[in-house]
Amino acid sequence: GLTAWARRPVFFDVETTGLSGGAGTLAFLAACGWFEDDGGFRVRQFFLAGPAGEPAMLDALAEVFGGASMIVSFNGRTFDVPLMETRWAFHRRPCPTDDLPHFDMLPPARQLWARRDADTAVADTASCSLSSLERAVLGFHRVGDVPGLEIPGRYFHFLRSGDAGALAGVIEHNQ
């Protein structure tokens, strides 16, 4: 059988109103993905149509994490999960990620990236961002991807105007 932590890993990523953290930063889009018993992969995205909906979003995420055996993320240990822990605390809700093991893929990716450069004697100055790794290691190129720096502005545009059109690329990016 599988070890307990490998039973149902949940892959997790958020899009936020900024990178500064703190009580004013909201995760307006959160994606959770996991393998189903039939071998399929399910992705659920939770979208915050406005700040008043945050408690319901937090409760829905807590339900997903309640069935998780571990969290898998890319830079989630230092950004995504601490941000969400702040939001659960802000709303005086228990934190469903407290006791979950967490595998953040960024640190090992950085180590492998550095080792790759050392093995090939190439001074690679490219970042170790997820999109850089996708291109260099997997040969995967995102076409028409929304740059991360544009994401908060697109969300604020949606809040001001109600125009959801600019969010389509953000939702695809998050997925």
Side-chain angles (χ1 to χ4, degrees):
L2 292 173
T3 57
W5 59 266
R7 180 183 43 80
R8 185 170 177 226
V10 171
F11 298 82
F12 183 59
D13 186 44
V14 298
E15 306 306 328
T16 67
T17 57
L19 298 176
S20 62
T25 302
L26 299 178
F28 67 86
L29 182 60
C32 297
W34 61 89
F35 291 97
E36 295 283 4
D37 292 336
D38 64 6
F41 190 76
R42 174 180 291 223
V43 175
R44 285 192 65 195
Q45 289 177 289
F46 302 92
F47 177 69
L48 190 58
E54 189 178 31
M57 179 185 191
L58 294 172
D59 291 345
L61 286 167
E63 187 176 324
V64 171
F65 286 122
S69 59
M70 72 180 294
I71 300 167
V72 180
S73 68
F74 191 86
N75 198 32
R77 182 178 302 282
T78 58
F79 185 74
D80 302 56
V81 172
L83 174 71
M84 296 311 299
E85 289 171 346
T86 299
R87 301 315 303 166
W88 277 301
F90 184 84
H91 289 281
R92 296 186 174 156
R93 285 172 159 63
C95 183
T97 58
D98 275 349
D99 296 327
L100 287 175
H102 187 160
F103 177 63
D104 187 333
M105 294 184 290
L106 180 58
R110 283 183 174 149
Q111 288 178 340
L112 291 170
W113 188 260
R115 188 174 302 139
R116 174 184 161 268
D117 288 346
D119 290 346
T120 60
V122 173
D124 194 332
T125 58
S127 75
C128 196
S129 69
L130 184 55
S131 59
S132 294
L133 289 170
E134 289 169 346
R135 282 190 305 273
V137 178
L138 302 175
F140 178 79
H141 299 268
R142 295 184 189 215
V143 177
D145 190 35
V146 175
L149 291 175
E150 285 184 23
I151 290 174
R154 288 181 181 221
Y155 181 64
F156 291 129
H157 171 75
F158 163 76
L159 290 178
R160 284 189 301 274
S161 68
D163 174 17
L167 293 175
V170 175
I171 291 169
E172 185 177 336
H173 171 90
N174 175 253
Q175 184 180 18

